[in-house]
Amino acid sequence: MKRDLDLVRKILIYFEEKEDDQMERDVELEGYESNLINYHLLIMDEAGLLRCERSYSKATPGRVIKVYPFSLTWKGHEFLSTAKNEGLWSKAKSISMKQAGVLSFELLKELLVSLAKDAAGIPNG
């Protein structure tokens, strides 16, 4: 399964817009199948972007098979603070693909911060 950073962004926005901190059993986003959403919730938990309760395999106790998200973590809020801006998001993705040929989370995060600094008139360096 491929990671979709646009879906990661949509999930972060979904949880930021929630009015409570209650656990979500099933996250539904238009245009995405539940297995793809669940995979992204799992890897977002691993990345520390979401605060989740983990469900473990009975056959392999250390293996997480599903997560039930509650809310964004500090790291999730920090990433979304720049990624939420559609113009910065599109520009960062375009630069990343055009100049590096990849769409890496860490590279995208650094580009978003750099672009936000430029927009605010803060020198990068």
Side-chain angles (χ1 to χ4, degrees), residues 3 5 96-97 102-111:
R3 181 181 62 179
L5 291 175
S96 180
M97 290 304 295
V102 297
L103 196 56
S104 153
F105 179 82
E106 290 302 321
L107 178 58
L108 199 54
K109 183 171 74 170
E110 288 181 32
L111 282 168

Side-chain angles (χ1 to χ4, degrees), residues 13-113:
I13 291 169
Y14 173 88
F15 279 96
E16 183 188 54
E17 291 176 349
K18 272 183 61 180
E19 295 191 17
D20 59 43
D21 192 27
Q22 301 299 310
M23 180 177 69
E24 293 282 321
R25 289 224 168 261
D26 294 302
V27 175
E28 294 180 9
L29 294 168
E30 188 175 331
Y32 294 95
E33 293 183 20
S34 62
N35 64 335
L36 187 61
I37 293 170
N38 288 333
Y39 172 73
H40 280 74
L41 293 172
L42 184 66
I43 63 175
M44 290 171 73
D45 173 60
E46 292 173 349
L49 298 172
L50 293 174
R51 190 172 62 85
C52 301
E53 184 170 312
R54 296 174 177 178
S55 177
Y56 293 91
S57 167
K58 288 182 169 67
T60 312
R63 188 173 138 237
V64 178
I65 56 172
K66 185 165 172 70
V67 295
Y68 299 97
F70 291 87
S71 60
L72 299 180
T73 61
W74 183 269
K75 187 176 178 180
H77 279 287
E78 283 295 299
F79 178 75
L80 185 57
S81 67
T82 52
K84 193 172 182 180
N85 179 300
E86 187 65 45
L88 290 179
W89 178 253
S90 295
K91 189 172 184 179
K93 285 189 343 178
S94 176
I95 290 169
S96 180
M97 290 304 295
K98 186 183 282 185
Q99 294 184 6
V102 297
L103 196 56
S104 153
F105 179 82
E106 290 302 321
L107 178 58
L108 199 54
K109 183 171 74 170
E110 288 181 32
L111 282 168
L112 286 164
V113 169

